[in-house]
Structures are given as structure tokens and as C-alpha cells.
Amino acid sequence: MYNLNNDNMVLVIDHPLITHKLTQIRKKDTGTNEFRQIVNEIGGLMVYEITRDLELEDVDIETPVAPMKTKQLAGEKLVVCPILRAGLGMVDGILQMMPSARVGHIGLYRDEETLKPVEYFAKFPNKLEGRLVIIVDPMLATGGSAIAAIDLVKKRGVKNIKFVCLVAAPEGVTALRIAHPDVPVYIAALDEKLNNKGYIVPGLGDCGDRIFGTK
Ligand code: PRP
Ligand code: URA
């Protein structure tokens, strides 16, 4: 039986800055402009943990004072893949920390009746195999969208995938871990539950609508 409390592939990044910023966007009166800015900021802050295990290689350089042996990032450029629409809200913040990352796009929306994900777009950089692909979506509710997005990326031969979200429901994390046990999950806050409409409680509402001002 899967036990979320005993899973070292799920990291809740409960840093005080992240918790504070999340509180701001959880408030129902926070407007679109501030909401959008803070989603990006949290995305950027999460990068430090998400990239903690990136590989480094030795390099010889010269500082203005002396030659030195130091290290730089090794391997292929990594790929950030937002799940549209809401995932787009985190991309700029992440790219500020990793400007040379490539970007893929995964278009999925959740059918309001069935809560099942519906795919409408997928575009990835060439030569995806061999790269680290970081899939980002602020909300992990039932887990259907995250599972479908990871399926899409795995079909293209990718072995090294991470999933990043701001707010998750335990139901979604459990479903995702069972479907893709090889994919580490990074979360800013693990909330209480889903309501009967599939919304995260207490959550922050409809993240896509709040980022893009569509409601
Ligand atoms: C939201 C969210 C996730 C999905 C999470 O997107 O951004 O993609 O719901 O729910 P799940 O875990 O139950 O699949 P939505 O379908 O509302 O699309 P949007 O971002 O285009 O508004
Ligand atoms: N999608 C959202 O934007 N919010 C939720 O609470 C659940 C799914």
C-alpha cells in the first residue's frame, strides 16, 4: 500500500519565502497582476531544490588573479515543459534562474464533468531523449493532467523527468506516484484534500483563470 508520508521521491519545499508568497496568492482578493508575478517568483525559488542534483564537470579557468580548477554544469541543456495554461505562469521565473534551458509545451485541459485530461497540443525541442525534462504545473489535483503529461514525455524516450507544482492534494500525489514511481515530485505546499468538484482545499482556486484573468 502506497504511503505518502514515507516517500523520499516527494519533496515539499516549505521554505519560509515560498510559504509567505503562497499565502499571498491563496488570498481570494489577490489580483491578477500580483498573482501572476508571485507564481513566477515561487517557480524561480523552487529551482534551487529541483536542480540540486544536476551533474557538474571539471573545467580550467583563469580568474583575474590566478588559474583555477572549478566546475560547470555538464550534459545536454535541460527542458522546462509547462502544462498549459497555468504552467506557463511559472516558466519565466524558472528561466530567470536557468536562462539556457529549452522549453516544451504540453496542452492539456481538465474536462469539467469527468475531470479527465484532454490533450490539445504538444511541442518539444528536438532531441528530447537524454535530457532532463522538468514538467511544471502549479496545481496537482486528481493527478490526471500530470500523469498524462509524463506519459507524453516518456513516449518520446525521455528517462529523466521531474514534476514540479505549487499546491498539491494528497489524492493527486498518490495517483502520480503510483502511475510514475520513477518521477520525483517537488511541491511547495501539500494541502488537505480535493472537494467534490476536484478543486484543492484550501488551495488557491482556479490557477489558470487567476493567472490569465479569465474569470
Ligand atoms: C488545471 C491545472 C492542472 C490541472 C490539475 O488546469 O493547471 O493542469 O487543472 O488538475 P488534475 O490534477 O485534476 O488533472 P485546467 O484543466 O484548469 O486548465 P487551464 O490551466 O488551461 O485552465
Ligand atoms: N485546477 C486548479 O486550477 N485548481 C484546483 O484547485 C484544481 C485544479
Side-chain angles (χ1 to χ4, degrees):
M1 177 96 160
Y2 174 76
N3 181 356
L4 175 54
N5 297 319
N6 199 10
D7 186 347
N8 62 10
M9 294 280 275
V10 176
L11 182 64
V12 180
I13 309 176
D14 53 355
H15 187 285
L17 285 180
I18 292 178
T19 304
H20 178 82
K21 287 178 190 291
L22 262 180
T23 299
Q24 301 310 111
I25 57 172
R26 284 182 188 276
K27 291 178 187 168
K28 64 179 185 197
D29 293 330
T30 298
T32 302
N33 190 13
E34 190 183 0
F35 189 95
R36 190 185 289 149
Q37 183 181 330
I38 295 176
V39 167
N40 260 318
E41 286 172 1
I42 300 175
L45 287 171
M46 292 179 81
V47 168
Y48 289 104
E49 280 303 331
I50 300 159
T51 56
R52 184 174 283 283
D53 60 354
L54 288 189
E55 261 181 58
L56 294 169
E57 62 188 9
D58 293 331
V59 61
D60 292 304
I61 65 159
E62 287 189 24
T63 79
V65 179
M68 77 174 286
K69 287 192 184 303
T70 180
K71 294 189 186 292
Q72 64 184 14
L73 288 173
E76 298 283 344
K77 301 268 183 294
L78 60 82
V79 182
V80 180
C81 279
I83 301 179
L84 311 181
R85 292 173 302 166
L88 284 174
M90 298 169 69
V91 172
D92 286 348
I94 293 174
L95 290 182
Q96 276 197 352
M97 299 296 140
M98 302 187 298
S100 55
R102 305 300 191 239
V103 181
H105 293 87
I106 300 171
L108 290 173
Y109 72 87
R110 200 169 71 143
D111 182 284
E112 282 181 14
E113 297 296 321
T114 65
L115 301 184
K116 300 281 178 237
V118 181
E119 184 190 334
Y120 59 90
F121 187 74
K123 178 82 182 169
F124 299 101
N126 289 336
K127 292 195 279 164
L128 210 52
E129 265 177 63
R131 295 183 192 261
L132 166 62
V133 173
I134 301 175
I135 300 178
V136 301
D137 188 331
M139 309 307 280
L140 178 62
T142 65
S145 303
I147 292 168
I150 295 169
D151 285 340
L152 274 173
V153 170
K154 281 189 175 174
K155 264 192 215 148
R156 283 152 175 93
V158 180
K159 300 272 186 298
N160 192 5
I161 302 171
K162 299 185 179 204
F163 181 81
V164 181
C165 66
L166 300 192
V167 183
E171 295 91 327
V173 184
T174 300
L176 176 53
R177 294 292 300 127
I178 290 170
H180 293 295
D182 55 315
V183 174
V185 180
Y186 297 81
I187 303 169
L190 184 60
D191 275 12
E192 201 185 315
K193 60 180 182 185
L194 290 179
N195 68 15
N196 59 8
K197 291 194 168 129
Y199 274 79
I200 301 172
V201 181
L204 47 74
D206 188 310
C207 197
D209 281 342
R210 295 196 68 187
I211 290 172
F212 295 107
T214 41
K215 216 167 233 172

